[in-house]
Amino acid sequence: MIYGIPTYDLPLMAAVAFLSYLIGSIPFGLVLTALSGNGDIRKIGSGNIGATNVLRTGRKGLAAGTLALDGTKGAFAVFCAFVLCPFHTLAAESLAAVFAVAGHCFPVWLKFRGGKGVATGLGCVLALMPGVGLCCCALWLIFAKVTRISSAGAIIAFAALPLLMIRPGRIDFSSPAYVAGCLIAVMILIRHHANISRLLKGTEPRIGQKSA
């Protein structure tokens, strides 16, 4: 057994993971820009389907909608796990969080070329660990505002996530929530490898800056 989950419950866990992946893989940025007549977001700016690149279309409302929906789908995946798994709930929610972010970053519909998982990751963490999620949101907003670079805020927030999850006087590295948080952080930081390179070179675009 893993985290006390008996073998007969593993199919339910697999269903939670699959459902969460499907929820996470909904490309709201792509859908919203297409419906608004702004074309294919993958052919604009960085080609990313997330809110930061949607903002480069000049449509702030569209970017805000993308941010909200991407965050909501992460929280919704965790909520579905809560409803579907009255037993082993924390393990199911943690599994849902990881697969929702994986779905956003690697959606099968887009040949596994998705977004960078920031909004979806924040939505998952807020649902799974509200206090930690709020701290991550605060770090992201503060550093994004100070630097005018969204990726800088995201990188700082998720690099700090494993530390933020450590409770005072208690380090439970084996907790499914802690493992999920670390996996989400690693996934998002890997998706930002190009941003990290540009930040080091001083060529990372700033918030609202349009790209060809």
Side-chain angles (χ1 to χ4, degrees), residues 118 122 132-165 181 184-186 188-190 192 195-196 199-200 204:
V118 177
L122 288 174
V132 174
L134 288 173
C135 288
C136 282
C137 288
L139 283 174
W140 176 44
L141 291 171
I142 290 169
F143 280 91
K145 184 174 179 61
V146 169
T147 63
R148 295 293 297 167
I149 300 174
S150 180
S151 63
I155 291 165
I156 292 294
F158 283 96
L161 178 56
L163 295 176
L164 293 172
M165 289 187 293
I184 289 170
V186 168
I188 290 173
L189 291 175
I190 288 174
H192 279 80
N195 303 84
I196 293 171
L199 283 167
L200 294 174
E204 180 74 341

Side-chain angles (χ1 to χ4, degrees), residues 5 9 11-24 72-101 123-124 127-128 176-177 180:
I5 302 172
D9 272 345
L12 178 58
M13 290 293 177
V16 166
F18 182 66
L19 176 62
S20 300
Y21 175 85
L22 292 180
I23 293 170
T72 299
K73 71 182 181 183
F76 182 65
V78 174
F79 174 74
C80 288
F82 171 78
V83 172
L84 293 172
C85 299
F87 305 103
H88 323 299
T89 306
L90 182 59
E93 291 175 338
S94 302
L95 187 68
V98 171
F99 275 86
V101 175
C124 288
L128 193 60

Side-chain angles (χ1 to χ4, degrees), residues 2 4 16 27 33 59 85 89 111 130 132 140-141 144 167 169-170 198:
I2 302 175
V16 166
T33 51
R59 300 285 297 276
C85 299
T89 306
K111 299 180 180 178
V132 174
W140 176 44
L141 291 171
R167 299 180 185 179
R170 177 185 173 189
R198 288 193 296 270

